[in-house]
Amino acid sequence: IKRVKGISAFRPIVYGTVARRVPPEERGPNFPPDHTHRWTVFVKGIHGRDISHFVKKVQFKLHETYANRIRNVEAPPFQVTETGWGEFEIQIKVYFVPEAGEKPLTLFHFLKIRPYNPEMPIEDPANPPPETSEPVYSQQYDEIIFNEPTEAFLEILKTK
Ligand code: SLL
């Protein structure tokens, strides 16, 4: 494979989670009784840009309390939606198209389902704040750097 010396290319991505509390009346018959939230973990381009010309697959590794905790997503949107009750770290492995000749990239993201605001006064347990179903986002911007990309991969990156 021919690599282009002295060149590095980068592509921006955003990865993270969004979660909402599901009110009991919306939980439905198949909603696990001990679950309280629905959440999505995702990897995407910025400004809605497609990333599937260079990302072939994303593997999400959930907490061991989940059945089939390894979730492979081979087409966009690269995301998994689940329900649950707790927060944990999700391992996200990004696989690139074969032309890239790159090893997968492993990212870690902590799923947040409850808002935490350091400015918030300490809760009075006798008087808890009302529960809301506002989305709780936790996401970050990153740039994937490809050092000395292959000629074929550089071509793919350039034409998209
Ligand atoms: C915690 N350390 O105690 C974490 C563990 C596990 C979250 C969180 C349900 C999985 C299922 C679920 O939300 N697991 O029963 O399908 O907060």
Side-chain angles (χ1 to χ4, degrees), residues 50-96:
D50 180 48
I51 57 171
S52 63
H53 57 293
F54 65 96
V55 171
K56 188 182 71 162
K57 167 175 120 174
V58 179
Q59 181 183 84
F60 299 93
K61 189 172 174 187
L62 310 182
H63 190 264
E64 63 203 19
T65 48
Y66 283 88
N68 314 314
R69 65 191 293 219
I70 308 275
R71 308 288 173 90
N72 289 303
V73 183
E74 310 211 346
F78 296 106
Q79 62 183 45
V80 168
T81 297
E82 261 296 352
T83 61
W85 49 263
E87 303 185 331
F88 56 91
E89 187 176 66
I90 301 174
Q91 183 191 290
I92 303 172
K93 220 164 157 181
V94 181
Y95 292 78
F96 301 104

mmCIF file of all heavy atoms in Angstrom, residues 50-96:
data_model
loop_
_atom_site.group_PDB
_atom_site.id
_atom_site.type_symbol
_atom_site.label_atom_id
_atom_site.label_comp_id
_atom_site.label_asym_id
_atom_site.label_seq_id
_atom_site.Cartn_x
_atom_site.Cartn_y
_atom_site.Cartn_z
ATOM 1 N N ASP A 50 -21.877 13.576 6.440
ATOM 2 C CA ASP A 50 -21.729 12.122 6.370
ATOM 3 C C ASP A 50 -20.289 11.730 6.728
ATOM 4 O O ASP A 50 -19.344 12.429 6.367
ATOM 5 C CB ASP A 50 -22.052 11.677 4.949
ATOM 6 C CG ASP A 50 -21.932 10.172 4.792
ATOM 7 O OD1 ASP A 50 -22.486 9.436 5.639
ATOM 8 O OD2 ASP A 50 -21.268 9.726 3.843
ATOM 9 N N ILE A 51 -20.152 10.595 7.441
ATOM 10 C CA ILE A 51 -18.801 10.086 7.722
ATOM 11 C C ILE A 51 -18.606 8.676 7.154
ATOM 12 O O ILE A 51 -17.551 8.086 7.305
ATOM 13 C CB ILE A 51 -18.481 10.082 9.245
ATOM 14 C CG1 ILE A 51 -19.515 9.268 10.042
ATOM 15 C CG2 ILE A 51 -18.396 11.507 9.787
ATOM 16 C CD1 ILE A 51 -19.121 9.060 11.513
ATOM 17 N N SER A 52 -19.649 8.170 6.466
ATOM 18 C CA SER A 52 -19.587 6.757 6.065
ATOM 19 C C SER A 52 -18.632 6.496 4.900
ATOM 20 O O SER A 52 -18.356 5.351 4.590
ATOM 21 C CB SER A 52 -20.988 6.230 5.743
ATOM 22 O OG SER A 52 -21.525 6.939 4.652
ATOM 23 N N HIS A 53 -18.117 7.548 4.258
ATOM 24 C CA HIS A 53 -17.095 7.287 3.237
ATOM 25 C C HIS A 53 -15.761 6.905 3.866
ATOM 26 O O HIS A 53 -14.941 6.280 3.221
ATOM 27 C CB HIS A 53 -16.933 8.469 2.274
ATOM 28 C CG HIS A 53 -16.598 9.766 2.949
ATOM 29 N ND1 HIS A 53 -17.482 10.414 3.772
ATOM 30 C CD2 HIS A 53 -15.469 10.508 2.928
ATOM 31 C CE1 HIS A 53 -16.901 11.525 4.226
ATOM 32 N NE2 HIS A 53 -15.687 11.597 3.734
ATOM 33 N N PHE A 54 -15.548 7.258 5.131
ATOM 34 C CA PHE A 54 -14.302 6.799 5.772
ATOM 35 C C PHE A 54 -14.517 5.908 6.986
ATOM 36 O O PHE A 54 -13.594 5.194 7.392
ATOM 37 C CB PHE A 54 -13.356 7.973 6.077
ATOM 38 C CG PHE A 54 -13.854 8.967 7.101
ATOM 39 C CD1 PHE A 54 -13.462 8.853 8.429
ATOM 40 C CD2 PHE A 54 -14.669 10.025 6.738
ATOM 41 C CE1 PHE A 54 -13.886 9.775 9.385
ATOM 42 C CE2 PHE A 54 -15.109 10.949 7.688
ATOM 43 C CZ PHE A 54 -14.714 10.819 9.006
ATOM 44 N N VAL A 55 -15.727 5.917 7.565
ATOM 45 C CA VAL A 55 -16.032 5.023 8.686
ATOM 46 C C VAL A 55 -16.839 3.840 8.160
ATOM 47 O O VAL A 55 -17.882 4.020 7.530
ATOM 48 C CB VAL A 55 -16.835 5.747 9.786
ATOM 49 C CG1 VAL A 55 -17.326 4.750 10.843
ATOM 50 C CG2 VAL A 55 -15.984 6.834 10.425
ATOM 51 N N LYS A 56 -16.318 2.641 8.400
ATOM 52 C CA LYS A 56 -17.000 1.446 7.885
ATOM 53 C C LYS A 56 -17.978 0.881 8.909
ATOM 54 O O LYS A 56 -19.029 0.353 8.575
ATOM 55 C CB LYS A 56 -15.949 0.384 7.559
ATOM 56 C CG LYS A 56 -16.512 -0.826 6.834
ATOM 57 C CD LYS A 56 -15.448 -1.877 6.575
ATOM 58 C CE LYS A 56 -15.036 -2.544 7.860
ATOM 59 N NZ LYS A 56 -14.344 -3.809 7.723
ATOM 60 N N LYS A 57 -17.591 0.990 10.178
ATOM 61 C CA LYS A 57 -18.387 0.355 11.226
ATOM 62 C C LYS A 57 -18.054 1.007 12.555
ATOM 63 O O LYS A 57 -16.924 1.452 12.762
ATOM 64 C CB LYS A 57 -18.000 -1.127 11.253
ATOM 65 C CG LYS A 57 -18.482 -1.898 12.459
ATOM 66 C CD LYS A 57 -18.145 -3.373 12.315
ATOM 67 C CE LYS A 57 -17.251 -3.818 13.458
ATOM 68 N NZ LYS A 57 -17.002 -5.272 13.458
ATOM 69 N N VAL A 58 -19.025 1.063 13.443
ATOM 70 C CA VAL A 58 -18.760 1.510 14.810
ATOM 71 C C VAL A 58 -19.269 0.427 15.752
ATOM 72 O O VAL A 58 -20.402 -0.043 15.613
ATOM 73 C CB VAL A 58 -19.416 2.868 15.128
ATOM 74 C CG1 VAL A 58 -19.124 3.281 16.574
ATOM 75 C CG2 VAL A 58 -18.922 3.958 14.172
ATOM 76 N N GLN A 59 -18.397 0.040 16.669
ATOM 77 C CA GLN A 59 -18.786 -0.953 17.659
ATOM 78 C C GLN A 59 -18.924 -0.280 19.023
ATOM 79 O O GLN A 59 -17.999 0.369 19.502
ATOM 80 C CB GLN A 59 -17.716 -2.043 17.734
ATOM 81 C CG GLN A 59 -18.065 -3.122 18.737
ATOM 82 C CD GLN A 59 -16.953 -4.146 18.826
ATOM 83 O OE1 GLN A 59 -15.984 -3.951 19.555
ATOM 84 N NE2 GLN A 59 -17.086 -5.214 18.074
ATOM 85 N N PHE A 60 -20.097 -0.445 19.620
ATOM 86 C CA PHE A 60 -20.366 0.129 20.938
ATOM 87 C C PHE A 60 -20.374 -1.007 21.955
ATOM 88 O O PHE A 60 -21.076 -2.011 21.749
ATOM 89 C CB PHE A 60 -21.726 0.823 20.952
ATOM 90 C CG PHE A 60 -21.844 1.971 19.970
ATOM 91 C CD1 PHE A 60 -22.346 1.773 18.694
ATOM 92 C CD2 PHE A 60 -21.462 3.256 20.337
ATOM 93 C CE1 PHE A 60 -22.468 2.821 17.785
ATOM 94 C CE2 PHE A 60 -21.576 4.320 19.445
ATOM 95 C CZ PHE A 60 -22.082 4.099 18.166
ATOM 96 N N LYS A 61 -19.611 -0.855 23.017
ATOM 97 C CA LYS A 61 -19.584 -1.884 24.057
ATOM 98 C C LYS A 61 -20.251 -1.327 25.304
ATOM 99 O O LYS A 61 -19.734 -0.429 25.964
ATOM 100 C CB LYS A 61 -18.140 -2.285 24.352
ATOM 101 C CG LYS A 61 -18.009 -3.480 25.254
ATOM 102 C CD LYS A 61 -16.533 -3.879 25.290
ATOM 103 C CE LYS A 61 -16.247 -4.968 26.268
ATOM 104 N NZ LYS A 61 -14.787 -5.163 26.366
ATOM 105 N N LEU A 62 -21.426 -1.872 25.618
ATOM 106 C CA LEU A 62 -22.243 -1.362 26.727
ATOM 107 C C LEU A 62 -21.843 -2.024 28.047
ATOM 108 O O LEU A 62 -21.054 -2.972 28.072
ATOM 109 C CB LEU A 62 -23.727 -1.620 26.433
ATOM 110 C CG LEU A 62 -24.243 -1.174 25.058
ATOM 111 C CD1 LEU A 62 -25.743 -1.447 24.957
ATOM 112 C CD2 LEU A 62 -23.952 0.302 24.804
ATOM 113 N N HIS A 63 -22.446 -1.581 29.106
ATOM 114 C CA HIS A 63 -22.239 -2.162 30.442
ATOM 115 C C HIS A 63 -22.641 -3.632 30.454
ATOM 116 O O HIS A 63 -23.533 -4.045 29.703
ATOM 117 C CB HIS A 63 -23.086 -1.373 31.444
ATOM 118 C CG HIS A 63 -22.789 -1.691 32.869
ATOM 119 N ND1 HIS A 63 -23.527 -2.604 33.588
ATOM 120 C CD2 HIS A 63 -21.839 -1.232 33.705
ATOM 121 C CE1 HIS A 63 -23.044 -2.686 34.824
ATOM 122 N NE2 HIS A 63 -22.014 -1.851 34.915
ATOM 123 N N GLU A 64 -21.986 -4.406 31.307
ATOM 124 C CA GLU A 64 -22.233 -5.858 31.314
ATOM 125 C C GLU A 64 -23.652 -6.231 31.755
ATOM 126 O O GLU A 64 -24.057 -7.381 31.598
ATOM 127 C CB GLU A 64 -21.195 -6.559 32.197
ATOM 128 C CG GLU A 64 -21.272 -6.129 33.652
ATOM 129 C CD GLU A 64 -19.955 -6.361 34.401
ATOM 130 O OE1 GLU A 64 -18.912 -6.500 33.753
ATOM 131 O OE2 GLU A 64 -20.003 -6.387 35.640
ATOM 132 N N THR A 65 -24.404 -5.279 32.287
ATOM 133 C CA THR A 65 -25.796 -5.570 32.653
ATOM 134 C C THR A 65 -26.695 -5.673 31.412
ATOM 135 O O THR A 65 -27.854 -6.074 31.528
ATOM 136 C CB THR A 65 -26.373 -4.476 33.578
ATOM 137 O OG1 THR A 65 -26.068 -3.203 33.026
ATOM 138 C CG2 THR A 65 -25.808 -4.571 34.978
ATOM 139 N N TYR A 66 -26.171 -5.306 30.243
ATOM 140 C CA TYR A 66 -26.976 -5.379 29.022
ATOM 141 C C TYR A 66 -26.779 -6.708 28.312
ATOM 142 O O TYR A 66 -25.649 -7.186 28.184
ATOM 143 C CB TYR A 66 -26.617 -4.233 28.068
ATOM 144 C CG TYR A 66 -27.231 -2.927 28.510
ATOM 145 C CD1 TYR A 66 -26.557 -2.099 29.398
ATOM 146 C CD2 TYR A 66 -28.491 -2.562 28.075
ATOM 147 C CE1 TYR A 66 -27.127 -0.919 29.844
ATOM 148 C CE2 TYR A 66 -29.069 -1.383 28.507
ATOM 149 C CZ TYR A 66 -28.386 -0.572 29.387
ATOM 150 O OH TYR A 66 -28.971 0.589 29.824
ATOM 151 N N ALA A 67 -27.876 -7.273 27.827
ATOM 152 C CA ALA A 67 -27.785 -8.449 26.973
ATOM 153 C C ALA A 67 -27.149 -8.015 25.654
ATOM 154 O O ALA A 67 -27.399 -6.905 25.186
ATOM 155 C CB ALA A 67 -29.178 -9.015 26.738
ATOM 156 N N ASN A 68 -26.344 -8.892 25.052
ATOM 157 C CA ASN A 68 -25.655 -8.551 23.795
ATOM 158 C C ASN A 68 -24.994 -7.180 23.908
ATOM 159 O O ASN A 68 -25.309 -6.277 23.151
ATOM 160 C CB ASN A 68 -26.615 -8.534 22.603
ATOM 161 C CG ASN A 68 -27.517 -9.739 22.584
ATOM 162 O OD1 ASN A 68 -27.057 -10.865 22.773
ATOM 163 N ND2 ASN A 68 -28.808 -9.523 22.410
ATOM 164 N N ARG A 69 -24.061 -7.074 24.843
ATOM 165 C CA ARG A 69 -23.497 -5.748 25.123
ATOM 166 C C ARG A 69 -22.641 -5.196 23.990
ATOM 167 O O ARG A 69 -22.358 -4.008 23.947
ATOM 168 C CB ARG A 69 -22.666 -5.802 26.417
ATOM 169 C CG ARG A 69 -21.446 -6.698 26.289
ATOM 170 C CD ARG A 69 -20.804 -6.944 27.628
ATOM 171 N NE ARG A 69 -20.217 -5.737 28.192
ATOM 172 C CZ ARG A 69 -19.061 -5.736 28.859
ATOM 173 N NH1 ARG A 69 -18.366 -6.859 29.012
ATOM 174 N NH2 ARG A 69 -18.595 -4.627 29.375
ATOM 175 N N ILE A 70 -22.215 -6.057 23.071
ATOM 176 C CA ILE A 70 -21.441 -5.573 21.920
ATOM 177 C C ILE A 70 -22.411 -5.278 20.787
ATOM 178 O O ILE A 70 -23.100 -6.172 20.307
ATOM 179 C CB ILE A 70 -20.422 -6.631 21.435
ATOM 180 C CG1 ILE A 70 -19.563 -7.122 22.596
ATOM 181 C CG2 ILE A 70 -19.624 -6.113 20.254
ATOM 182 C CD1 ILE A 70 -18.381 -6.275 22.906
ATOM 183 N N ARG A 71 -22.479 -4.031 20.369
ATOM 184 C CA ARG A 71 -23.407 -3.640 19.307
ATOM 185 C C ARG A 71 -22.607 -3.091 18.129
ATOM 186 O O ARG A 71 -21.896 -2.100 18.274
ATOM 187 C CB ARG A 71 -24.379 -2.572 19.804
ATOM 188 C CG ARG A 71 -25.096 -2.934 21.108
ATOM 189 C CD ARG A 71 -26.133 -4.021 20.932
ATOM 190 N NE ARG A 71 -26.653 -4.432 22.232
ATOM 191 C CZ ARG A 71 -27.711 -3.866 22.824
ATOM 192 N NH1 ARG A 71 -28.327 -2.861 22.241
ATOM 193 N NH2 ARG A 71 -28.112 -4.305 24.008
ATOM 194 N N ASN A 72 -22.743 -3.767 16.990
ATOM 195 C CA ASN A 72 -22.047 -3.323 15.787
ATOM 196 C C ASN A 72 -23.005 -2.573 14.884
ATOM 197 O O ASN A 72 -24.091 -3.071 14.592
ATOM 198 C CB ASN A 72 -21.486 -4.533 15.036
ATOM 199 C CG ASN A 72 -20.322 -5.148 15.780
ATOM 200 O OD1 ASN A 72 -19.334 -4.471 16.073
ATOM 201 N ND2 ASN A 72 -20.436 -6.423 16.120
ATOM 202 N N VAL A 73 -22.595 -1.416 14.441
ATOM 203 C CA VAL A 73 -23.425 -0.624 13.529
ATOM 204 C C VAL A 73 -22.612 -0.391 12.258
ATOM 205 O O VAL A 73 -21.542 0.219 12.298
ATOM 206 C CB VAL A 73 -23.854 0.713 14.173
ATOM 207 C CG1 VAL A 73 -24.785 1.478 13.237
ATOM 208 C CG2 VAL A 73 -24.527 0.474 15.519
ATOM 209 N N GLU A 74 -23.127 -0.907 11.144
ATOM 210 C CA GLU A 74 -22.321 -0.920 9.920
ATOM 211 C C GLU A 74 -22.768 0.101 8.887
ATOM 212 O O GLU A 74 -22.277 0.098 7.764
ATOM 213 C CB GLU A 74 -22.340 -2.328 9.331
ATOM 214 C CG GLU A 74 -22.002 -3.344 10.413
ATOM 215 C CD GLU A 74 -21.292 -4.592 9.918
ATOM 216 O OE1 GLU A 74 -21.282 -4.811 8.696
ATOM 217 O OE2 GLU A 74 -20.764 -5.314 10.780
ATOM 218 N N ALA A 75 -23.724 0.947 9.251
ATOM 219 C CA ALA A 75 -24.167 1.996 8.332
ATOM 220 C C ALA A 75 -24.671 3.160 9.170
ATOM 221 O O ALA A 75 -25.085 2.970 10.315
ATOM 222 C CB ALA A 75 -25.280 1.467 7.434
ATOM 223 N N PRO A 76 -24.633 4.365 8.598
ATOM 224 C CA PRO A 76 -25.144 5.497 9.374
ATOM 225 C C PRO A 76 -26.661 5.433 9.525
ATOM 226 O O PRO A 76 -27.308 4.841 8.651
ATOM 227 C CB PRO A 76 -24.730 6.706 8.529
ATOM 228 C CG PRO A 76 -24.468 6.198 7.159
ATOM 229 C CD PRO A 76 -24.157 4.739 7.274
ATOM 230 N N PRO A 77 -27.233 5.981 10.558
ATOM 231 C CA PRO A 77 -26.539 6.669 11.651
ATOM 232 C C PRO A 77 -25.821 5.676 12.573
ATOM 233 O O PRO A 77 -26.386 4.642 12.916
ATOM 234 C CB PRO A 77 -27.682 7.374 12.401
ATOM 235 C CG PRO A 77 -28.905 6.556 12.110
ATOM 236 C CD PRO A 77 -28.708 5.986 10.736
ATOM 237 N N PHE A 78 -24.581 5.994 12.918
ATOM 238 C CA PHE A 78 -23.792 5.133 13.791
ATOM 239 C C PHE A 78 -24.220 5.413 15.223
ATOM 240 O O PHE A 78 -23.656 6.275 15.906
ATOM 241 C CB PHE A 78 -22.304 5.391 13.589
ATOM 242 C CG PHE A 78 -21.831 5.046 12.199
ATOM 243 C CD1 PHE A 78 -21.534 6.042 11.289
ATOM 244 C CD2 PHE A 78 -21.689 3.725 11.802
ATOM 245 C CE1 PHE A 78 -21.101 5.725 10.002
ATOM 246 C CE2 PHE A 78 -21.259 3.394 10.517
ATOM 247 C CZ PHE A 78 -20.971 4.405 9.609
ATOM 248 N N GLN A 79 -25.257 4.721 15.672
ATOM 249 C CA GLN A 79 -25.779 4.975 17.008
ATOM 250 C C GLN A 79 -26.556 3.786 17.543
ATOM 251 O O GLN A 79 -26.963 2.910 16.780
ATOM 252 C CB GLN A 79 -26.676 6.219 16.999
ATOM 253 C CG GLN A 79 -27.900 6.078 16.098
ATOM 254 C CD GLN A 79 -28.726 7.344 16.055
ATOM 255 O OE1 GLN A 79 -28.182 8.443 15.925
ATOM 256 N NE2 GLN A 79 -30.033 7.216 16.158
ATOM 257 N N VAL A 80 -26.714 3.752 18.850
ATOM 258 C CA VAL A 80 -27.478 2.703 19.519
ATOM 259 C C VAL A 80 -28.406 3.390 20.517
ATOM 260 O O VAL A 80 -27.967 4.266 21.264
ATOM 261 C CB VAL A 80 -26.543 1.730 20.279
ATOM 262 C CG1 VAL A 80 -27.331 0.817 21.207
ATOM 263 C CG2 VAL A 80 -25.713 0.905 19.299
ATOM 264 N N THR A 81 -29.668 2.986 20.497
ATOM 265 C CA THR A 81 -30.623 3.510 21.473
ATOM 266 C C THR A 81 -31.022 2.383 22.413
ATOM 267 O O THR A 81 -31.274 1.264 21.979
ATOM 268 C CB THR A 81 -31.859 4.094 20.756
ATOM 269 O OG1 THR A 81 -31.429 5.200 19.961
ATOM 270 C CG2 THR A 81 -32.898 4.590 21.756
ATOM 271 N N GLU A 82 -31.044 2.688 23.698
ATOM 272 C CA GLU A 82 -31.359 1.697 24.722
ATOM 273 C C GLU A 82 -32.176 2.357 25.828
ATOM 274 O O GLU A 82 -32.305 3.583 25.860
ATOM 275 C CB GLU A 82 -30.063 1.142 25.328
ATOM 276 C CG GLU A 82 -29.627 -0.189 24.763
ATOM 277 C CD GLU A 82 -30.617 -1.322 25.059
ATOM 278 O OE1 GLU A 82 -31.577 -1.124 25.832
ATOM 279 O OE2 GLU A 82 -30.417 -2.403 24.511
ATOM 280 N N THR A 83 -32.664 1.528 26.715
ATOM 281 C CA THR A 83 -33.258 2.065 27.934
ATOM 282 C C THR A 83 -32.417 1.577 29.104
ATOM 283 O O THR A 83 -31.640 0.630 28.963
ATOM 284 C CB THR A 83 -34.713 1.590 28.120
ATOM 285 O OG1 THR A 83 -34.726 0.160 28.217
ATOM 286 C CG2 THR A 83 -35.588 2.036 26.961
ATOM 287 N N GLY A 84 -32.559 2.227 30.258
ATOM 288 C CA GLY A 84 -31.778 1.809 31.412
ATOM 289 C C GLY A 84 -32.075 2.652 32.632
ATOM 290 O O GLY A 84 -32.993 3.486 32.612
ATOM 291 N N TRP A 85 -31.271 2.425 33.656
ATOM 292 C CA TRP A 85 -31.457 3.175 34.900
ATOM 293 C C TRP A 85 -30.152 3.812 35.382
ATOM 294 O O TRP A 85 -30.164 4.601 36.321
ATOM 295 C CB TRP A 85 -32.005 2.265 36.000
ATOM 296 C CG TRP A 85 -31.238 0.972 36.143
ATOM 297 C CD1 TRP A 85 -31.575 -0.234 35.594
ATOM 298 C CD2 TRP A 85 -30.011 0.766 36.859
ATOM 299 N NE1 TRP A 85 -30.628 -1.185 35.915
ATOM 300 C CE2 TRP A 85 -29.655 -0.602 36.700
ATOM 301 C CE3 TRP A 85 -29.161 1.591 37.624
ATOM 302 C CZ2 TRP A 85 -28.496 -1.159 37.257
ATOM 303 C CZ3 TRP A 85 -28.014 1.036 38.176
ATOM 304 C CH2 TRP A 85 -27.693 -0.320 37.996
ATOM 305 N N GLY A 86 -29.039 3.422 34.788
ATOM 306 C CA GLY A 86 -27.767 3.874 35.356
ATOM 307 C C GLY A 86 -26.795 4.424 34.330
ATOM 308 O O GLY A 86 -27.000 4.304 33.125
ATOM 309 N N GLU A 87 -25.739 5.024 34.862
ATOM 310 C CA GLU A 87 -24.714 5.641 34.031
ATOM 311 C C GLU A 87 -23.466 4.758 34.025
ATOM 312 O O GLU A 87 -23.149 4.118 35.023
ATOM 313 C CB GLU A 87 -24.374 7.032 34.576
ATOM 314 C CG GLU A 87 -25.603 7.934 34.662
ATOM 315 C CD GLU A 87 -25.287 9.367 35.092
ATOM 316 O OE1 GLU A 87 -24.302 9.569 35.825
ATOM 317 O OE2 GLU A 87 -26.034 10.263 34.678
ATOM 318 N N PHE A 88 -22.764 4.727 32.918
ATOM 319 C CA PHE A 88 -21.558 3.898 32.824
ATOM 320 C C PHE A 88 -20.727 4.355 31.636
ATOM 321 O O PHE A 88 -21.192 5.154 30.817
ATOM 322 C CB PHE A 88 -21.942 2.414 32.685
ATOM 323 C CG PHE A 88 -22.849 2.138 31.516
ATOM 324 C CD1 PHE A 88 -22.329 1.803 30.279
ATOM 325 C CD2 PHE A 88 -24.231 2.237 31.650
ATOM 326 C CE1 PHE A 88 -23.158 1.560 29.198
ATOM 327 C CE2 PHE A 88 -25.074 1.993 30.565
ATOM 328 C CZ PHE A 88 -24.527 1.662 29.343
ATOM 329 N N GLU A 89 -19.523 3.820 31.538
ATOM 330 C CA GLU A 89 -18.646 4.189 30.444
ATOM 331 C C GLU A 89 -18.881 3.267 29.252
ATOM 332 O O GLU A 89 -18.917 2.051 29.399
ATOM 333 C CB GLU A 89 -17.189 4.078 30.898
ATOM 334 C CG GLU A 89 -16.231 4.618 29.867
ATOM 335 C CD GLU A 89 -14.804 4.584 30.377
ATOM 336 O OE1 GLU A 89 -14.279 3.473 30.590
ATOM 337 O OE2 GLU A 89 -14.227 5.665 30.584
ATOM 338 N N ILE A 90 -19.030 3.859 28.102
ATOM 339 C CA ILE A 90 -19.249 3.105 26.869
ATOM 340 C C ILE A 90 -17.960 3.132 26.052
ATOM 341 O O ILE A 90 -17.363 4.195 25.863
ATOM 342 C CB ILE A 90 -20.408 3.715 26.051
ATOM 343 C CG1 ILE A 90 -21.696 3.700 26.891
ATOM 344 C CG2 ILE A 90 -20.601 2.971 24.731
ATOM 345 C CD1 ILE A 90 -22.875 4.407 26.230
ATOM 346 N N GLN A 91 -17.553 1.941 25.604
ATOM 347 C CA GLN A 91 -16.387 1.884 24.716
ATOM 348 C C GLN A 91 -16.873 1.960 23.281
ATOM 349 O O GLN A 91 -17.775 1.226 22.876
ATOM 350 C CB GLN A 91 -15.618 0.592 24.957
ATOM 351 C CG GLN A 91 -14.354 0.520 24.121
ATOM 352 C CD GLN A 91 -13.732 -0.860 24.166
ATOM 353 O OE1 GLN A 91 -13.197 -1.294 25.172
ATOM 354 N NE2 GLN A 91 -13.824 -1.567 23.051
ATOM 355 N N ILE A 92 -16.288 2.865 22.541
ATOM 356 C CA ILE A 92 -16.693 3.101 21.150
ATOM 357 C C ILE A 92 -15.496 2.811 20.254
ATOM 358 O O ILE A 92 -14.456 3.464 20.374
ATOM 359 C CB ILE A 92 -17.122 4.576 20.958
ATOM 360 C CG1 ILE A 92 -18.260 4.944 21.927
ATOM 361 C CG2 ILE A 92 -17.521 4.842 19.514
ATOM 362 C CD1 ILE A 92 -18.604 6.442 21.934
ATOM 363 N N LYS A 93 -15.633 1.826 19.378
ATOM 364 C CA LYS A 93 -14.521 1.476 18.500
ATOM 365 C C LYS A 93 -14.907 1.831 17.069
ATOM 366 O O LYS A 93 -15.901 1.313 16.555
ATOM 367 C CB LYS A 93 -14.240 -0.024 18.627
ATOM 368 C CG LYS A 93 -12.792 -0.392 18.636
ATOM 369 C CD LYS A 93 -12.631 -1.806 19.154
ATOM 370 C CE LYS A 93 -11.330 -2.412 18.662
ATOM 371 N NZ LYS A 93 -11.181 -3.791 19.147
ATOM 372 N N VAL A 94 -14.136 2.712 16.469
ATOM 373 C CA VAL A 94 -14.432 3.196 15.121
ATOM 374 C C VAL A 94 -13.544 2.454 14.122
ATOM 375 O O VAL A 94 -12.317 2.515 14.215
ATOM 376 C CB VAL A 94 -14.177 4.720 15.027
ATOM 377 C CG1 VAL A 94 -14.505 5.243 13.630
ATOM 378 C CG2 VAL A 94 -14.979 5.478 16.085
ATOM 379 N N TYR A 95 -14.175 1.757 13.195
ATOM 380 C CA TYR A 95 -13.441 1.017 12.153
ATOM 381 C C TYR A 95 -13.494 1.816 10.864
ATOM 382 O O TYR A 95 -14.553 2.325 10.487
ATOM 383 C CB TYR A 95 -14.086 -0.353 11.911
ATOM 384 C CG TYR A 95 -13.947 -1.313 13.059
ATOM 385 C CD1 TYR A 95 -14.766 -1.199 14.186
ATOM 386 C CD2 TYR A 95 -12.999 -2.332 13.027
ATOM 387 C CE1 TYR A 95 -14.641 -2.081 15.247
ATOM 388 C CE2 TYR A 95 -12.869 -3.223 14.086
ATOM 389 C CZ TYR A 95 -13.694 -3.089 15.191
ATOM 390 O OH TYR A 95 -13.561 -3.969 16.239
ATOM 391 N N PHE A 96 -12.362 1.869 10.178
ATOM 392 C CA PHE A 96 -12.285 2.669 8.956
ATOM 393 C C PHE A 96 -12.414 1.775 7.722
ATOM 394 O O PHE A 96 -12.227 0.550 7.790
ATOM 395 C CB PHE A 96 -10.973 3.448 8.946
ATOM 396 C CG PHE A 96 -10.853 4.355 10.137
ATOM 397 C CD1 PHE A 96 -10.038 4.023 11.206
ATOM 398 C CD2 PHE A 96 -11.628 5.508 10.212
ATOM 399 C CE1 PHE A 96 -9.961 4.835 12.339
ATOM 400 C CE2 PHE A 96 -11.569 6.327 11.340
ATOM 401 C CZ PHE A 96 -10.738 5.990 12.402
#
